[in-house]
Amino acid sequence: MIRILSYLIFFTLGMLLFRPILLEAVENIQLPEDLKARAFVIKSEKDGLWEKSLIIQFSERRRVLSTNDGFLDALAVVNHSAHPLLWERVCKKGKTKEVMKDIKKRIAKTIGVRSEEIALMATAVDMDNLAVKTKKFKPFVVSVLATAGAKTNALRTGVDEGTYIEGEEPKGTVNILILTNVRLTDGAMARAIITATEAKTAAFQDLKVPSSYTKDVLATGTGTDSVI
């Protein structure tokens, strides 16, 4: 299963960072039945600017590990995207945490769950550039849904400093959402995040994504990447 996950992250990010795949204006995203999850995108506007939420909803609570929310028993996981100007306004006001809580509440109300039952990550990358890839190796099924932006915030771990401070202009982000048909232990989920990170870095290296901060070095990711 680790090999499947590594392949999926590498291939999916390769599509995004090298040649983005544009989804048509559809709300439902087909997932394998074995995953027992429904995927769809909710589109809305705020102050005339777009917001799009990728929602994966489960029929029953599922143990989830999120780099934002930690471990939780979730009924839904979300990758929320909003126009860069919206994030810029939020950051300048220093209201990121409050806005994230509000996003959770709005989505929870829409799908009929509690906000505490949602794992959330966010990005300024347009959800129309979502990449979806599934790999099967019986009895395992793994799907990855990812968004990626690395034009302004690509950095190399161990070389570049994390200088972003809330209130500055929003930067690039790689968000990776991983689904599987098997129940993983907490330790296995933590191990999966390591594998996902290694695969993401491999994709950056093979695509020769340069650091936004240091000349002549390749990036290993961005400063705001998230995984669920």
Side-chain angles (χ1 to χ4, degrees):
M1 182 172 171
I2 294 298
R3 291 180 63 186
I4 296 174
L5 177 58
S6 180
Y7 166 84
L8 278 175
I9 301 296
F10 177 84
F11 187 85
T12 305
L13 290 182
M15 290 195 299
L16 286 169
L17 295 170
F18 184 67
R19 189 180 62 181
I21 303 299
L22 299 180
L23 295 179
E24 296 181 2
V26 296
E27 292 192 354
N28 291 304
I29 299 170
Q30 188 172 2
L31 293 175
E33 292 184 5
D34 290 344
L35 296 179
K36 297 180 180 179
R38 178 192 173 206
F40 54 99
V41 175
I42 294 178
K43 300 180 180 181
S44 60
E45 285 190 2
K46 185 174 183 179
D47 300 331
L49 300 172
W50 57 262
E51 285 189 298
K52 302 173 186 179
S53 298
L54 168 65
I55 301 173
I56 311 296
Q57 191 167 9
F58 309 125
S59 58
E60 58 184 8
R61 284 179 177 79
R62 189 171 298 187
R63 186 70 166 167
V64 167
L65 175 57
S66 163
T67 52
N68 289 328
D69 297 300
F71 284 105
L72 69 157
D73 296 320
L75 284 173
V77 294
V78 177
N79 185 5
H80 177 80
S81 66
H83 194 286
L85 289 178
L86 285 177
W87 287 120
E88 185 176 355
R89 295 171 189 173
V90 169
C91 292
K92 284 183 176 179
K93 293 179 180 178
K95 299 289 186 180
T96 305
K97 290 183 179 180
E98 291 87 342
V99 169
M100 292 290 279
K101 288 181 180 179
D102 179 65
I103 292 169
K104 268 192 178 184
K105 289 179 180 179
R106 282 191 284 135
I107 293 174
K109 184 177 181 180
T110 299
I111 64 177
V113 303
R114 295 183 301 156
S115 59
E116 295 84 3
E117 297 169 325
I118 294 176
L120 174 68
M121 52 187 174
T123 180
V125 175
D126 194 325
M127 202 54 63
D128 288 350
N129 291 333
L130 173 71
V132 182
K133 187 69 178 178
T134 295
K135 189 73 173 178
K136 298 181 180 181
F137 184 78
K138 292 183 178 181
F140 305 114
V141 178
V142 181
S143 289
V144 171
L145 301 90
T147 53
K151 291 183 178 179
T152 60
N153 191 30
L155 55 79
R156 185 173 185 84
T157 301
V159 175
D160 298 322
E161 296 180 353
T163 58
Y164 176 77
I165 299 175
E166 187 172 1
E168 296 179 349
E169 184 179 352
K171 305 293 184 179
T173 299
V174 176
N175 282 350
I176 302 170
L177 202 159
I178 305 164
L179 299 172
T180 180
N181 65 327
V182 296
R183 188 181 299 274
L184 300 178
T185 64
D186 289 356
M189 283 190 279
R191 181 65 184 84
I193 287 184
I194 293 176
T195 301
T197 302
E198 291 172 345
K200 176 197 69 175
T201 299
F204 268 64
Q205 301 300 289
D206 279 17
L207 294 173
K208 294 180 171 55
V209 179
S211 166
S212 301
Y213 306 99
T214 303
K215 186 178 180 180
D216 297 329
V217 300
L218 297 180
T220 55
T222 82
T224 53
D225 297 343
S226 294
V227 180
I228 295 178

